[in-house]
Amino acid sequence: MPGLYSRLDRKKGRDIRVLARFVQIYCRENHRGAEKRPLPVDGTGLGEVLGEVPELCPGCLRLLQHGIAKRLQCPYDPKPMCKKCETHCYAPGYREKMRKVMRFSGPYLIRHGRLDLLIHYLF
């Protein structure tokens, strides 16, 4: 039986991969001493969507799971950038944390030459 995530369209899959990468960079660079756990993907198809399953601290793991859930529930097509959206679906605490992650990881990617992810971040 195929997992929930194996039926995602290309755009949602790409958005989830980028989100996971941003959270992974933030966690790796800011929570170096924290105990890390892999994102649970068994039987969901999420492992195939992500390619590499990130290992994150508990706080970043919850943030990523919340972000994935909100991306899947987004009613807009095409989906606007969250910061420009009229409907803020993230819970207030998660919204601030995600904003912090994006502000850190975007410039990090510029400094490390990942312009493909940066283009997604800006547009």
PDB file of all heavy atoms in Angstrom, residues 38-67:
ATOM      1  N   PRO A  38      15.901  10.925  13.911  1.00  0.00           N
ATOM      2  CA  PRO A  38      15.440  11.032  12.519  1.00  0.00           C
ATOM      3  C   PRO A  38      13.945  11.327  12.460  1.00  0.00           C
ATOM      4  O   PRO A  38      13.181  10.936  13.340  1.00  0.00           O
ATOM      5  CB  PRO A  38      15.757   9.663  11.927  1.00  0.00           C
ATOM      6  CG  PRO A  38      15.835   8.746  13.090  1.00  0.00           C
ATOM      7  CD  PRO A  38      16.270   9.561  14.274  1.00  0.00           C
ATOM      8  N   LEU A  39      13.549  12.012  11.426  1.00  0.00           N
ATOM      9  CA  LEU A  39      12.138  12.270  11.173  1.00  0.00           C
ATOM     10  C   LEU A  39      11.458  10.933  10.915  1.00  0.00           C
ATOM     11  O   LEU A  39      11.926  10.153  10.086  1.00  0.00           O
ATOM     12  CB  LEU A  39      11.993  13.179   9.951  1.00  0.00           C
ATOM     13  CG  LEU A  39      10.589  13.549   9.506  1.00  0.00           C
ATOM     14  CD1 LEU A  39       9.930  14.451  10.540  1.00  0.00           C
ATOM     15  CD2 LEU A  39      10.636  14.251   8.166  1.00  0.00           C
ATOM     16  N   PRO A  40      10.377  10.618  11.633  1.00  0.00           N
ATOM     17  CA  PRO A  40       9.700   9.335  11.401  1.00  0.00           C
ATOM     18  C   PRO A  40       9.042   9.302  10.018  1.00  0.00           C
ATOM     19  O   PRO A  40       8.203  10.138   9.718  1.00  0.00           O
ATOM     20  CB  PRO A  40       8.651   9.254  12.513  1.00  0.00           C
ATOM     21  CG  PRO A  40       8.693  10.525  13.244  1.00  0.00           C
ATOM     22  CD  PRO A  40       9.766  11.389  12.699  1.00  0.00           C
ATOM     23  N   VAL A  41       9.439   8.338   9.199  1.00  0.00           N
ATOM     24  CA  VAL A  41       8.921   8.258   7.833  1.00  0.00           C
ATOM     25  C   VAL A  41       8.392   6.867   7.479  1.00  0.00           C
ATOM     26  O   VAL A  41       7.877   6.676   6.388  1.00  0.00           O
ATOM     27  CB  VAL A  41       9.999   8.659   6.799  1.00  0.00           C
ATOM     28  CG1 VAL A  41      10.410  10.105   6.990  1.00  0.00           C
ATOM     29  CG2 VAL A  41      11.190   7.739   6.857  1.00  0.00           C
ATOM     30  N   ASP A  42       8.499   5.899   8.360  1.00  0.00           N
ATOM     31  CA  ASP A  42       8.110   4.523   8.055  1.00  0.00           C
ATOM     32  C   ASP A  42       6.675   4.420   7.573  1.00  0.00           C
ATOM     33  O   ASP A  42       5.747   4.886   8.219  1.00  0.00           O
ATOM     34  CB  ASP A  42       8.278   3.629   9.285  1.00  0.00           C
ATOM     35  CG  ASP A  42       9.730   3.450   9.664  1.00  0.00           C
ATOM     36  OD1 ASP A  42      10.598   3.707   8.807  1.00  0.00           O
ATOM     37  OD2 ASP A  42       9.999   3.059  10.811  1.00  0.00           O
ATOM     38  N   GLY A  43       6.504   3.841   6.396  1.00  0.00           N
ATOM     39  CA  GLY A  43       5.188   3.560   5.855  1.00  0.00           C
ATOM     40  C   GLY A  43       4.435   4.767   5.317  1.00  0.00           C
ATOM     41  O   GLY A  43       3.301   4.638   4.894  1.00  0.00           O
ATOM     42  N   THR A  44       5.031   5.950   5.344  1.00  0.00           N
ATOM     43  CA  THR A  44       4.312   7.152   4.909  1.00  0.00           C
ATOM     44  C   THR A  44       4.639   7.543   3.482  1.00  0.00           C
ATOM     45  O   THR A  44       3.882   8.281   2.861  1.00  0.00           O
ATOM     46  CB  THR A  44       4.657   8.355   5.802  1.00  0.00           C
ATOM     47  OG1 THR A  44       6.054   8.646   5.667  1.00  0.00           O
ATOM     48  CG2 THR A  44       4.312   8.104   7.250  1.00  0.00           C
ATOM     49  N   GLY A  45       5.782   7.126   2.967  1.00  0.00           N
ATOM     50  CA  GLY A  45       6.239   7.561   1.656  1.00  0.00           C
ATOM     51  C   GLY A  45       7.041   8.847   1.737  1.00  0.00           C
ATOM     52  O   GLY A  45       7.580   9.325   0.752  1.00  0.00           O
ATOM     53  N   LEU A  46       7.161   9.427   2.929  1.00  0.00           N
ATOM     54  CA  LEU A  46       7.899  10.674   3.108  1.00  0.00           C
ATOM     55  C   LEU A  46       9.394  10.483   2.856  1.00  0.00           C
ATOM     56  O   LEU A  46      10.053  11.378   2.346  1.00  0.00           O
ATOM     57  CB  LEU A  46       7.662  11.245   4.510  1.00  0.00           C
ATOM     58  CG  LEU A  46       8.255  12.616   4.818  1.00  0.00           C
ATOM     59  CD1 LEU A  46       7.770  13.652   3.811  1.00  0.00           C
ATOM     60  CD2 LEU A  46       7.892  13.043   6.227  1.00  0.00           C
ATOM     61  N   GLY A  47       9.918   9.317   3.167  1.00  0.00           N
ATOM     62  CA  GLY A  47      11.330   9.040   2.916  1.00  0.00           C
ATOM     63  C   GLY A  47      11.673   9.164   1.440  1.00  0.00           C
ATOM     64  O   GLY A  47      12.724   9.690   1.078  1.00  0.00           O
ATOM     65  N   GLU A  48      10.784   8.703   0.567  1.00  0.00           N
ATOM     66  CA  GLU A  48      11.008   8.796  -0.872  1.00  0.00           C
ATOM     67  C   GLU A  48      10.912  10.248  -1.347  1.00  0.00           C
ATOM     68  O   GLU A  48      11.636  10.663  -2.248  1.00  0.00           O
ATOM     69  CB  GLU A  48      10.002   7.943  -1.646  1.00  0.00           C
ATOM     70  CG  GLU A  48      10.189   6.452  -1.459  1.00  0.00           C
ATOM     71  CD  GLU A  48       9.586   5.926  -0.166  1.00  0.00           C
ATOM     72  OE1 GLU A  48       8.558   6.482   0.306  1.00  0.00           O
ATOM     73  OE2 GLU A  48      10.144   4.966   0.392  1.00  0.00           O
ATOM     74  N   VAL A  49      10.031  11.018  -0.752  1.00  0.00           N
ATOM     75  CA  VAL A  49       9.879  12.432  -1.126  1.00  0.00           C
ATOM     76  C   VAL A  49      11.125  13.218  -0.728  1.00  0.00           C
ATOM     77  O   VAL A  49      11.648  14.007  -1.505  1.00  0.00           O
ATOM     78  CB  VAL A  49       8.621  13.049  -0.462  1.00  0.00           C
ATOM     79  CG1 VAL A  49       8.577  14.551  -0.652  1.00  0.00           C
ATOM     80  CG2 VAL A  49       7.365  12.408  -1.013  1.00  0.00           C
ATOM     81  N   LEU A  50      11.622  12.973   0.487  1.00  0.00           N
ATOM     82  CA  LEU A  50      12.763  13.731   0.993  1.00  0.00           C
ATOM     83  C   LEU A  50      14.095  13.266   0.426  1.00  0.00           C
ATOM     84  O   LEU A  50      15.020  14.052   0.293  1.00  0.00           O
ATOM     85  CB  LEU A  50      12.822  13.646   2.520  1.00  0.00           C
ATOM     86  CG  LEU A  50      11.691  14.335   3.273  1.00  0.00           C
ATOM     87  CD1 LEU A  50      11.823  14.063   4.758  1.00  0.00           C
ATOM     88  CD2 LEU A  50      11.679  15.817   2.994  1.00  0.00           C
ATOM     89  N   GLY A  51      14.214  12.005   0.133  1.00  0.00           N
ATOM     90  CA  GLY A  51      15.504  11.469  -0.292  1.00  0.00           C
ATOM     91  C   GLY A  51      16.364  11.188   0.923  1.00  0.00           C
ATOM     92  O   GLY A  51      16.523  10.060   1.340  1.00  0.00           O
ATOM     93  N   GLU A  52      16.867  12.230   1.552  1.00  0.00           N
ATOM     94  CA  GLU A  52      17.646  12.105   2.779  1.00  0.00           C
ATOM     95  C   GLU A  52      16.741  12.462   3.953  1.00  0.00           C
ATOM     96  O   GLU A  52      16.164  13.536   4.003  1.00  0.00           O
ATOM     97  CB  GLU A  52      18.830  13.086   2.726  1.00  0.00           C
ATOM     98  CG  GLU A  52      19.630  13.132   3.990  1.00  0.00           C
ATOM     99  CD  GLU A  52      20.651  14.258   3.996  1.00  0.00           C
ATOM    100  OE1 GLU A  52      20.938  14.814   2.926  1.00  0.00           O
ATOM    101  OE2 GLU A  52      21.145  14.592   5.085  1.00  0.00           O
ATOM    102  N   VAL A  53      16.616  11.548   4.910  1.00  0.00           N
ATOM    103  CA  VAL A  53      15.775  11.789   6.080  1.00  0.00           C
ATOM    104  C   VAL A  53      16.585  12.578   7.097  1.00  0.00           C
ATOM    105  O   VAL A  53      17.628  12.121   7.559  1.00  0.00           O
ATOM    106  CB  VAL A  53      15.276  10.459   6.693  1.00  0.00           C
ATOM    107  CG1 VAL A  53      14.473  10.718   7.949  1.00  0.00           C
ATOM    108  CG2 VAL A  53      14.440   9.696   5.674  1.00  0.00           C
ATOM    109  N   PRO A  54      16.145  13.795   7.442  1.00  0.00           N
ATOM    110  CA  PRO A  54      16.929  14.619   8.369  1.00  0.00           C
ATOM    111  C   PRO A  54      16.881  14.105   9.801  1.00  0.00           C
ATOM    112  O   PRO A  54      15.878  13.543  10.234  1.00  0.00           O
ATOM    113  CB  PRO A  54      16.263  15.992   8.260  1.00  0.00           C
ATOM    114  CG  PRO A  54      14.877  15.715   7.822  1.00  0.00           C
ATOM    115  CD  PRO A  54      14.948  14.471   6.983  1.00  0.00           C
ATOM    116  N   GLU A  55      17.986  14.303  10.505  1.00  0.00           N
ATOM    117  CA  GLU A  55      18.042  14.040  11.941  1.00  0.00           C
ATOM    118  C   GLU A  55      18.027  15.384  12.630  1.00  0.00           C
ATOM    119  O   GLU A  55      18.870  16.240  12.359  1.00  0.00           O
ATOM    120  CB  GLU A  55      19.291  13.241  12.294  1.00  0.00           C
ATOM    121  CG  GLU A  55      19.228  11.830  11.783  1.00  0.00           C
ATOM    122  CD  GLU A  55      20.234  10.916  12.465  1.00  0.00           C
ATOM    123  OE1 GLU A  55      20.936  11.364  13.385  1.00  0.00           O
ATOM    124  OE2 GLU A  55      20.281   9.749  12.067  1.00  0.00           O
ATOM    125  N   LEU A  56      17.055  15.579  13.509  1.00  0.00           N
ATOM    126  CA  LEU A  56      16.829  16.876  14.125  1.00  0.00           C
ATOM    127  C   LEU A  56      16.655  16.757  15.627  1.00  0.00           C
ATOM    128  O   LEU A  56      16.294  15.696  16.141  1.00  0.00           O
ATOM    129  CB  LEU A  56      15.571  17.521  13.533  1.00  0.00           C
ATOM    130  CG  LEU A  56      15.505  17.651  12.019  1.00  0.00           C
ATOM    131  CD1 LEU A  56      14.098  18.000  11.580  1.00  0.00           C
ATOM    132  CD2 LEU A  56      16.500  18.683  11.546  1.00  0.00           C
ATOM    133  N   CYS A  57      16.874  17.882  16.328  1.00  0.00           N
ATOM    134  CA  CYS A  57      16.579  17.920  17.753  1.00  0.00           C
ATOM    135  C   CYS A  57      15.052  17.877  17.915  1.00  0.00           C
ATOM    136  O   CYS A  57      14.316  18.127  16.950  1.00  0.00           O
ATOM    137  CB  CYS A  57      17.179  19.177  18.384  1.00  0.00           C
ATOM    138  SG  CYS A  57      16.358  20.707  17.900  1.00  0.00           S
ATOM    139  N   PRO A  58      14.556  17.573  19.107  1.00  0.00           N
ATOM    140  CA  PRO A  58      13.101  17.458  19.288  1.00  0.00           C
ATOM    141  C   PRO A  58      12.316  18.712  18.884  1.00  0.00           C
ATOM    142  O   PRO A  58      11.255  18.614  18.272  1.00  0.00           O
ATOM    143  CB  PRO A  58      12.944  17.162  20.783  1.00  0.00           C
ATOM    144  CG  PRO A  58      14.217  16.485  21.154  1.00  0.00           C
ATOM    145  CD  PRO A  58      15.282  17.138  20.319  1.00  0.00           C
ATOM    146  N   GLY A  59      12.826  19.901  19.198  1.00  0.00           N
ATOM    147  CA  GLY A  59      12.119  21.139  18.842  1.00  0.00           C
ATOM    148  C   GLY A  59      12.029  21.337  17.339  1.00  0.00           C
ATOM    149  O   GLY A  59      10.984  21.694  16.810  1.00  0.00           O
ATOM    150  N   CYS A  60      13.134  21.105  16.642  1.00  0.00           N
ATOM    151  CA  CYS A  60      13.146  21.267  15.186  1.00  0.00           C
ATOM    152  C   CYS A  60      12.331  20.168  14.511  1.00  0.00           C
ATOM    153  O   CYS A  60      11.702  20.403  13.482  1.00  0.00           O
ATOM    154  CB  CYS A  60      14.579  21.281  14.657  1.00  0.00           C
ATOM    155  SG  CYS A  60      15.484  22.784  15.107  1.00  0.00           S
ATOM    156  N   LEU A  61      12.315  18.995  15.098  1.00  0.00           N
ATOM    157  CA  LEU A  61      11.512  17.892  14.574  1.00  0.00           C
ATOM    158  C   LEU A  61      10.026  18.257  14.619  1.00  0.00           C
ATOM    159  O   LEU A  61       9.298  18.085  13.636  1.00  0.00           O
ATOM    160  CB  LEU A  61      11.792  16.632  15.390  1.00  0.00           C
ATOM    161  CG  LEU A  61      11.292  15.311  14.857  1.00  0.00           C
ATOM    162  CD1 LEU A  61      11.874  15.022  13.486  1.00  0.00           C
ATOM    163  CD2 LEU A  61      11.655  14.200  15.821  1.00  0.00           C
ATOM    164  N   ARG A  62       9.577  18.813  15.744  1.00  0.00           N
ATOM    165  CA  ARG A  62       8.172  19.247  15.861  1.00  0.00           C
ATOM    166  C   ARG A  62       7.865  20.372  14.872  1.00  0.00           C
ATOM    167  O   ARG A  62       6.795  20.392  14.256  1.00  0.00           O
ATOM    168  CB  ARG A  62       7.870  19.716  17.292  1.00  0.00           C
ATOM    169  CG  ARG A  62       7.657  18.590  18.269  1.00  0.00           C
ATOM    170  CD  ARG A  62       7.112  19.090  19.601  1.00  0.00           C
ATOM    171  NE  ARG A  62       7.964  20.092  20.235  1.00  0.00           N
ATOM    172  CZ  ARG A  62       9.035  19.826  20.976  1.00  0.00           C
ATOM    173  NH1 ARG A  62       9.394  18.581  21.185  1.00  0.00           N
ATOM    174  NH2 ARG A  62       9.732  20.799  21.514  1.00  0.00           N
ATOM    175  N   LEU A  63       8.808  21.301  14.718  1.00  0.00           N
ATOM    176  CA  LEU A  63       8.611  22.406  13.777  1.00  0.00           C
ATOM    177  C   LEU A  63       8.470  21.887  12.354  1.00  0.00           C
ATOM    178  O   LEU A  63       7.571  22.312  11.617  1.00  0.00           O
ATOM    179  CB  LEU A  63       9.780  23.389  13.870  1.00  0.00           C
ATOM    180  CG  LEU A  63       9.735  24.577  12.916  1.00  0.00           C
ATOM    181  CD1 LEU A  63       8.530  25.473  13.234  1.00  0.00           C
ATOM    182  CD2 LEU A  63      11.023  25.368  13.005  1.00  0.00           C
ATOM    183  N   LEU A  64       9.332  20.963  11.949  1.00  0.00           N
ATOM    184  CA  LEU A  64       9.249  20.408  10.604  1.00  0.00           C
ATOM    185  C   LEU A  64       7.942  19.643  10.404  1.00  0.00           C
ATOM    186  O   LEU A  64       7.282  19.788   9.372  1.00  0.00           O
ATOM    187  CB  LEU A  64      10.446  19.512  10.303  1.00  0.00           C
ATOM    188  CG  LEU A  64      10.446  18.852   8.921  1.00  0.00           C
ATOM    189  CD1 LEU A  64      10.354  19.895   7.809  1.00  0.00           C
ATOM    190  CD2 LEU A  64      11.673  17.983   8.752  1.00  0.00           C
ATOM    191  N   GLN A  65       7.553  18.843  11.362  1.00  0.00           N
ATOM    192  CA  GLN A  65       6.298  18.104  11.244  1.00  0.00           C
ATOM    193  C   GLN A  65       5.110  19.064  11.126  1.00  0.00           C
ATOM    194  O   GLN A  65       4.198  18.841  10.337  1.00  0.00           O
ATOM    195  CB  GLN A  65       6.115  17.162  12.432  1.00  0.00           C
ATOM    196  CG  GLN A  65       7.083  15.996  12.392  1.00  0.00           C
ATOM    197  CD  GLN A  65       7.058  15.158  13.660  1.00  0.00           C
ATOM    198  OE1 GLN A  65       6.915  15.689  14.764  1.00  0.00           O
ATOM    199  NE2 GLN A  65       7.209  13.854  13.504  1.00  0.00           N
ATOM    200  N   HIS A  66       5.131  20.142  11.901  1.00  0.00           N
ATOM    201  CA  HIS A  66       4.059  21.152  11.828  1.00  0.00           C
ATOM    202  C   HIS A  66       4.065  21.816  10.448  1.00  0.00           C
ATOM    203  O   HIS A  66       3.014  21.995   9.831  1.00  0.00           O
ATOM    204  CB  HIS A  66       4.269  22.191  12.932  1.00  0.00           C
ATOM    205  CG  HIS A  66       3.179  23.207  13.032  1.00  0.00           C
ATOM    206  ND1 HIS A  66       1.946  22.921  13.575  1.00  0.00           N
ATOM    207  CD2 HIS A  66       3.135  24.503  12.657  1.00  0.00           C
ATOM    208  CE1 HIS A  66       1.190  24.009  13.529  1.00  0.00           C
ATOM    209  NE2 HIS A  66       1.888  24.986  12.978  1.00  0.00           N
ATOM    210  N   GLY A  67       5.246  22.153   9.955  1.00  0.00           N
ATOM    211  CA  GLY A  67       5.367  22.789   8.643  1.00  0.00           C
ATOM    212  C   GLY A  67       4.879  21.896   7.517  1.00  0.00           C
ATOM    213  O   GLY A  67       4.191  22.359   6.600  1.00  0.00           O
TER     214      GLY A  67
END
